[in-house]
């Protein structure tokens, strides 16, 4: 039977089916070479990719934080400023904000969103420019890993090869990790501008808070940053940041994450206005100390660990004492500088330029706002009179009074007059002078200006706890911004008489000979030393040396006790020569001085330079009853995971837990301190230097109710002034000198006048509210009632001696009846 002829519709369907099959055949034929091409690309680019992070050992480059003893952050060091936080700490809405803004199909694709690529291509084609990206969150994570693995330039290169490698790595990440783990890595890796990597670092950088404390407005502001952190920065471009935030909120509404009311509330927060410039922690609190702690860490762990390791470095710094140290040093240097005189304006302009300079300062520095009364400013002199001058600070015109500036003597190079006080400001200022000023008020509450200047002198103050050996405060200079040179650890300057305790302790410990060939004699606090004039010749150089006491006076003999108390030079040289120069140098090196000292009698008077820190260690040795102090800047080092790498804290650390105290006490019991000198020698030195403070050259260092021992130091030309001293629990050293060692500080600027008041200002504040303690008497000390002038028994002065060394001869009766009296 013949089949009926096909209808028109059937013929059309038949032709369509044939075309479909033909198209499929053509497509299949085309896919074969395309597949081979894709496979070849994969084979070419799959090698050399970074591994998918192992979450159990995930340790990206992170911030190493340096903390003070109380946990205050002192500094942060990092190649990438990142603080890794667990996924559980991240608020759900924060995660949703990033997903909505960056990858709405994140939970549906397997690393590469093909639909998103096509959609973005069509949108960009229609717009004629790139307005929509197609990288998934996983691809963005892959890009970040590639940058770290290959370097910034190669890892971010715009090329097809890079995109292929990025896609391959993204697929590997999706196969190895679940979505929550990918988000954990992404939110800790993504760059969010201003050096911040990850949401926790960004939260702290922009809002000074932890990620879990962010509001919805703050979260959405951060979520808008990944495409272009600089363009959408709330610090640089707050309007653009707010516009991008609106987009993120709109996307969250579309995805059902928040309501319209939530979005409106977030917009009303004005999160972009809450953003603050992150302070420079390193420079703000204790830059010299922090740099020293950094060097200690790098010496132990290396620079790479510092910059990439994410360590937490707990230090010994006491914030309260550090502020007091910095204040005392700066105020002391400024007071000294005023005594030295006025060094002239910061700059000088022509009178006709005054108005332009003032307007420029108002526009570029003050930004049209009134000058802050809390900080220094630059002022330009607009008019001068005998008793006052008028100066412009921006748009404001304020007076400078002669009565506030009597210190403005003319600074001279070699000597400074105490009487060259100005009587006419017209001799100090000219119209057009640019000055540093601070705001002040007179008795009637009217505003005025006080001139300040960058001090010519420099200085250092370092303080160490004698019980724990913690360095609790360090000011290595007047201002870190002016000079990063740490005078406490890098400046080698002549100590003058501050070196004498080394000579006297050597005599007490080693004994000496009155003349060559004589037997070694025991030296005590009442040993008689020569105070007669001497002349020494160095035949190898032809130099003739004729030392003298500071006040140019002489006697025949004095006791060792009085010689140190009054800082007498000639008896010190006599003691030095009795002990022997080589023995003294060896002794100095053994108790803390690391410099290679020259071997001649001038070192007895402090002619060889020393580092302030080294000299402090000598005095700390005396204060610690002869035990060598440790150099403690760092107490504890923890990894980014919280594991304790090193714990060298003292068991008396006030911030330690009970468990830590017990553990540290056991450790320290197995590591006894090194006993360098006999406790009795250290005690006698402490006793002698208490006399220096009580009635000698350092009376300006006395603190009511606090036992204090210490010694002043002044060089011959008054270029250096020192005071190093200690209470039973705290040792502190102060050095003051001209920055470049070019000129003297002034004829009357001695260690007692210049350095001791700074020391006292700091120590008084540092010990306020604490138990000052007392100097304990060791077992190898005995006391005797002696005559202070002759050193014989039978007097009224109670002096310490090493056991077996107290005097045996008694004062003659006729001397007593003649009125021989004790000096103290």
């Amino acid at each position: 039977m013949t089949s009926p002829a096909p209808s028109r519709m059937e013929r059309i369907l038949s032709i369509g089916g044939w075309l479909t099959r033909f198209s499929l055949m053509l497509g299949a034929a085309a896919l074969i070479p395309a597949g081979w091409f894709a496979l070849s690309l994969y084979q070419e680019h799959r090698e050399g990719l970074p591994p998918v992070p192992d979450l159990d050992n995930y340790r990206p480059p992170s911030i190493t934080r340096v903390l003070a003893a109380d946990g205050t952050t002192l500094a942060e060091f990092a190649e990438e400023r990142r603080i890794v936080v667990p996924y559980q700490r991240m608020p759900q809405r924060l995660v949703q904000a990033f997903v909505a803004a960056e990858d709405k199909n994140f939970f549906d694709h397997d690393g590469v969103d093909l639909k998103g690529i096509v959609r973005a291509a069509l949108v960009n084609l229609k717009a004629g420019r790139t307005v929509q990206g197609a990288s998934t969150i996983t691809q963005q994570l892959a890009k970040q890993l590639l940058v770290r693995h290959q370097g910034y330039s190669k890892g971010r290169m715009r090329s097809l090869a890079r995109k292929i490698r990025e896609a391959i790595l993204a697929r590997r990440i999706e196969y190895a990790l679940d979505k929550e783990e990918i988000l954990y890595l992404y939110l800790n890796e993504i760059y969010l501008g201003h050096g911040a990597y990850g949401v926790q670092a960004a939260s702290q950088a922009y809002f000074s808070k932890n990620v879990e404390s962010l509001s919805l407005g703050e979260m959405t502001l951060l979520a808008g940053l990944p495409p272009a952190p600089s363009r959408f920065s709330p610090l640089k471009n707050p309007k653009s940041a707010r516009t991008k935030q609106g987009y993120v909120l709109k996307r969250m509404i579309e995805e059902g994450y928040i309501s319209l009311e939530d979005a409106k509330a977030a917009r009303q927060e004005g999160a972009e206005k809450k953003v603050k410039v992150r302070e420079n922690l390193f420079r703000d609190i204790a830059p010299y100390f922090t740099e020293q702690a950094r060097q200690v860490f790098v010496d132990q762990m290396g620079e790479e660990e510092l910059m990439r390791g994410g360590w937490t470095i707990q230090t010994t710094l006491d914030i309260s004492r550090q502020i007091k140290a910095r204040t005392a040093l700066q105020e002391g240097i400024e007071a000294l500088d005023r005594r030295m005189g006025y060094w002239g304006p910061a700059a000088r302009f022509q009178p006709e330029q005054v108005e332009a300079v003032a307007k420029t300062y108002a526009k570029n520095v003050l930004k049209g706002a009134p000058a802050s009364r809390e900080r220094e400013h630059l002022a330009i002199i607009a008019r001068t009179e005998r008793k006052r001058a008028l100066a412009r600070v921006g748009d404001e015109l304020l007076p400078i009074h002669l009565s506030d500036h009597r210190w403005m003597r003319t600074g001279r190079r070699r000597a400074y007059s105490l009487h060259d006080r100005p009587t006419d400001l017209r001799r100090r200022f000219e119209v057009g002078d640019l000055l540093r000023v601070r705001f002040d008020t007179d008795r009637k509450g009217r505003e005025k200006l006080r001139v300040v200047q960058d001090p010519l002198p420099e200085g250092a103050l370092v303080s160490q706890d004698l019980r724990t050996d913690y360095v609790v405060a360090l000011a290595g200079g007047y201002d870190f911004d002016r000079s990063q040179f740490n005078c406490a650890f890098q400046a080698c300057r002549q100590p003058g008489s501050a070196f004498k305790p080394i000579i006297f302790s050597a005599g007490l410990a080693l004994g000496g000979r009155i003349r060559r060939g004589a037997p070694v004699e025991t030296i005590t606090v009442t040993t008689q030393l020569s105070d007669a004039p001497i002349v020494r010749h160095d035949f190898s150089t032809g130099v003739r040396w004729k030392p003298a006491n500071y006040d140019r006076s002489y006697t025949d003999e004095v006791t060792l006790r009085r010689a140190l108390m009054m800082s007498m030079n000639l008896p010190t040289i006599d003691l030095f020569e009795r002990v022997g120069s080589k023995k003294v140098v060896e002794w100095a090196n053994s108790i803390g001085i690391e410099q290679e000292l020259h071997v001649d009698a001038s070192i007895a008077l402090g002619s060889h330079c020393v580092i302030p820190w080294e000299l402090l260690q000598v005095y700390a040795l005396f204060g610690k009853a002869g035990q060598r102090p440790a150099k403690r800047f760092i107490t504890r080092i923890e990894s980014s995971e919280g594991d304790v790498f090193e714990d060298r804290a003292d068991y008396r650390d006030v911030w330690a837990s009970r468990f830590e105290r017990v553990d540290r006490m056991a450790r320290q019991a197995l590591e006894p301190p090194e006993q360098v000198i006999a406790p009795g020698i250290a005690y006698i030195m402490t006793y002698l230097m208490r006399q220096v403070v009580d009635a000698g050259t350092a009376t300006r260092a006395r603190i009511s109710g606090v036992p204090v021992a210490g010694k002043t130091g002044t060089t011959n030309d008054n270029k250096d002034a020192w005071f190093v001293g200690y209470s039973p629990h705290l040792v502190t050293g102060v050095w003051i000198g001209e920055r470049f060692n070019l000129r003297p500080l002034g004829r009357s600027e001695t260690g007692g006048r210049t350095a001791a008041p700074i020391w006292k200002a700091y120590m008084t504040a540092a010990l306020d509210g604490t138990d000052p303690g007392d100097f304990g008497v060791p077992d190898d000390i005995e006391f005797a009632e002696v005559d202070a002038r002759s050193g014989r028994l039978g007097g009224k002065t109670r002096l310490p001696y090493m056991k077996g060394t107290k005097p045996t001869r008694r004062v003659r009766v006729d001397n007593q009846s003649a009125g021989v009296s004790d000096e103290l």
Side-chain angles (χ1 to χ4, degrees), residues 590-612:
S590 71
I591 64 174
I593 300 299
E594 298 178 12
Q595 303 301 307
E596 187 176 343
L597 302 172
H598 54 242
V599 183
D600 64 60
S602 69
I603 68 169
L605 307 183
S607 65
H608 196 291
C609 73
V610 298
I611 304 293

Side-chain angles (χ1 to χ4, degrees), residues 58-65 76-85 148 188-189 197 304-311 640-641:
Y58 175 59
R59 196 168 175 237
S62 302
I63 299 172
T64 292
R65 296 188 303 150
E76 295 174 343
F77 298 98
E79 289 180 355
E80 299 175 359
R81 190 176 181 277
R82 176 186 288 103
I83 304 171
V84 176
V85 292
R148 184 180 307 147
N188 278 306
E189 288 283 347
Y197 289 79
E304 184 174 353
E305 283 297 325
L306 177 78
M307 301 303 294
R308 297 172 61 89
W311 298 95
S640 56
E641 292 81 23

Side-chain angles (χ1 to χ4, degrees), residues 659-725:
F659 172 79
E660 289 172 330
R661 289 177 187 237
V662 173
D663 181 64
R664 292 166 183 171
M665 189 179 296
R667 185 198 71 226
Q668 287 177 233
L670 299 174
E671 302 174 0
E674 178 188 359
Q675 190 73 41
V676 181
I677 63 177
I681 298 296
Y683 177 82
I684 292 173
M685 288 306 304
T686 296
Y687 168 84
L688 291 172
M689 285 191 284
R690 288 186 69 177
Q691 305 300 300
V692 174
V693 175
D694 289 342
T697 60
T699 54
R700 283 187 172 96
R702 287 184 294 196
I703 302 175
S704 178
V706 179
V708 171
K711 184 71 185 73
T712 55
T714 311
T715 55
N716 285 340
D717 51 8
N718 292 86
K719 287 184 178 179
D720 300 273
W722 298 72
F723 185 75
V724 188

Side-chain angles (χ1 to χ4, degrees), residues 23 38 137 215 235 244 351 390 409 448 456 467 473 542 627:
S23 298
I137 280 177
S215 65
L235 283 170
K244 187 66 175 178
L390 295 177
R409 293 180 297 276
K448 60 181 179 178
L456 192 68
R467 295 162 295 180
Q627 295 178 351

